[in-house]
Amino acid sequence: MNMARAPKFHIDLASFASDPYPALARMRKEAPIAHVPELDAVLFTRRDDIHRHEKRVDVLSSDQPGGLMTVLMGQNMMRKDGEAHMQERRALFPTFSPRTVADHWKPKFEAAATCILEGIRPRGRCDLVRDFALPVSAEALKAITGLASMTVEEMDGSSQGMIDGCANYAGDADVEARCHAATALIDSHIDRQLDAPPEMSALAVQLEAGLPMESVRANVKLVISGGQNEPRDAIAGTAWALLDHPDQLELVRSGAATWQMAFFEYARLHSPIGMSPRRVARRDEINGIVLEAETRAFLMFSSAGRDEAHFDRVDAFDIMRDTSAAIPFGAGPHFCAGAAASRCLISEVALPMLFDSLPGLRLAGNVNLVGWAFRGPVAVPVAWDA
């Protein structure tokens, strides 16, 4: 087989942030493993390539000493491989186990959502992102992390600051400064809780497991960066998609489909976490393409969800489809540790409570989605019969 370097594929960064899917579709067809100079990375865009090679951590390593997340937030467990990764994952498991989620966190999620809905119900209209999904996600995250002293605004702002920093491949100094401010704020709240971390929280179980303080801090920041914006965007985004497709909403209301099916289809179509970065740890050949050591690689989960080899009508929202081939939470050893908590919050609490509590819920304006590394609606204006 003739081996070659990954072909170049140019993108317009602004267009890619606005809507990455046309470019990703072209890459899947023309150059499924392509070097994108504007991102200085090799992008994997076909589902089967991502699913297979994400597990080859000896080649596509999560250990990225010079990566943005490590530099800005510290080396968390998602930036470690092998036993180093598993040691910290095991330490956090008591917080994120399905049983803990069902028995300990779900009642807290429901109580917070009830309070938030009672507050907005008399108004008759709101922005679902700002007024519902944001505080629901933030209150859940305050409980899970153990940072009870944080405000909803601080939780959301610090999460946004960190994920903007982790996607700051253009090197914007202002974005980096906001990320540093966010991590400093989180550290200050960790310090406040060290003497009495709430039971079962990520802070408590890591301290109990004896993890070094730098790992504790880095992993709490990881939980915030992955546990605020993505559930927020998935709650508001799935609600928007259902309101925009009343036939699909009726399938859920009639019992023919479930809220989880709607969430999974939304995550396939508009992956809130669009990609996961890797470092090529050693020279390797994949599908006839040579990847040199220290190359930056992006596993494009968002593209995998629209891979024509696994899904028909890839751009259509269809909650009855089989979404099992989609990998919005990852597929390898770094599969999202908080997946059970996310599924519970979104499909067992936030969505059913939202639609049950606000009669006549309907869209009241246009909705725009933005982002490629992380993607979600800017605002979802709605009204209901108050």
Side-chain angles (χ1 to χ4, degrees):
M1 176 184 292
N2 292 326
M3 293 187 292
R5 296 185 185 278
K8 281 186 170 50
F9 191 101
H10 289 279
I11 62 170
D12 176 79
L13 285 173
S15 297
F16 201 63
S18 176
D19 183 2
Y21 295 107
L24 292 172
R26 292 198 305 273
M27 276 187 258
R28 286 195 302 273
K29 181 178 180 180
E30 302 168 11
I33 300 176
H35 177 248
V36 177
E38 292 78 9
L39 300 174
D40 189 24
V42 172
L43 274 59
F44 285 66
T45 55
R46 286 184 180 169
R47 184 266 182 197
D48 288 348
D49 288 338
I50 296 168
H51 190 267
R52 175 187 176 194
H53 295 292
E54 184 183 8
K55 301 176 178 68
R56 301 177 64 222
V57 296
D58 60 318
V59 176
L60 296 180
S61 175
S62 291
D63 184 6
Q64 302 162 48
L68 286 171
M69 178 176 278
T70 302
V71 170
L72 295 170
M73 296 166 52
Q75 189 175 18
N76 58 59
M77 70 175 186
M78 290 300 289
R79 291 297 174 263
K80 298 178 182 180
D81 290 319
E83 180 54 30
H85 166 76
M86 288 307 301
Q87 179 185 8
E88 297 186 12
R89 195 178 183 99
R90 285 193 293 268
L92 276 164
F93 180 74
T95 296
F96 292 109
S97 76
R99 173 167 291 183
T100 303
V101 170
D103 295 345
H104 192 77
W105 300 128
K106 185 178 180 181
K108 296 181 185 298
F109 296 168
E110 291 172 333
T114 296
C115 183
I116 292 163
L117 285 164
E118 288 177 351
I120 65 174
R121 188 181 296 118
R123 293 161 47 181
R125 61 177 54 245
C126 77
D127 168 15
L128 279 183
V129 177
R130 182 190 64 228
D131 300 320
F132 178 68
L134 185 159
V136 164
S137 296
E139 292 293 351
L141 203 51
K142 286 167 61 179
I144 286 173
T145 60
L147 303 188
S149 60
M150 290 190 82
T151 66
V152 163
E153 293 75 20
E154 285 176 332
M155 184 63 78
D156 189 74
S158 61
S159 177
Q160 191 66 56
M162 288 190 295
I163 69 167
D164 288 347
C166 292
N168 185 29
Y169 294 104
D172 187 309
D174 290 338
V175 172
E176 183 176 341
R178 288 194 294 272
C179 183
H180 285 307
T183 60
L185 176 65
I186 294 168
D187 280 330
S188 72
H189 282 283
I190 290 174
D191 292 340
R192 295 181 196 181
Q193 300 289 158
L194 283 177
D195 291 337
E199 181 186 11
M200 300 306 296
S201 67
L203 183 57
V205 299
Q206 289 185 97
L207 293 172
E208 185 177 347
L211 293 186
M213 202 62 215
E214 60 267 24
S215 293
V216 173
R217 293 183 186 276
N219 286 328
V220 169
K221 292 166 189 170
L222 169 67
V223 173
I224 292 173
S225 69
Q228 170 62 18
N229 289 47
E230 287 72 49
R232 179 199 71 192
D233 294 344
I235 291 167
T238 306
W240 157 70
L242 288 169
L243 292 170
D244 197 43
H245 297 80
D247 59 322
Q248 303 285 296
L249 177 58
E250 181 55 32
L251 290 171
V252 179
R253 290 193 184 280
S254 69
T258 65
W259 297 110
Q260 180 166 282
M261 290 165 66
F263 162 46
F264 282 2
E265 171 63 354
Y266 175 82
R268 177 203 68 81
L269 186 62
H270 298 290
S271 186
I273 302 176
M275 72 89 174
S276 183
R278 295 291 189 269
R279 174 181 61 88
V280 179
R282 60 175 174 82
R283 192 175 190 267
D284 194 50
E285 177 269 321
I286 297 176
N287 298 354
I289 292 174
V290 172
L291 299 177
E292 298 291 348
E294 302 308 315
T295 298
R296 183 161 61 190
F298 292 165
L299 305 177
M300 302 301 296
F301 298 148
S302 56
S303 181
R306 300 199 187 196
D307 191 330
E308 296 82 357
H310 289 273
F311 306 102
D312 62 0
R313 300 180 303 111
V314 297
D315 299 326
F317 180 69
D318 178 5
I319 66 174
M320 300 303 289
R321 80 165 75 238
D322 180 1
T323 59
S324 59
I327 46 177
F329 291 109
H334 291 284
F335 179 82
C336 178
S342 179
R343 286 193 294 264
C344 174
L345 177 64
I346 296 166
S347 60
E348 296 179 29
V349 176
L351 289 173
M353 290 183 67
L354 172 69
F355 282 89
D356 287 346
S357 299
L358 303 180
L361 187 64
R362 55 194 178 273
L363 292 174
N366 295 326
V367 175
N368 293 316
L369 278 68
V370 297
W372 64 271
F374 303 92
R375 187 166 179 82
V378 177
V380 179
V382 294
W384 59 90
D385 303 328

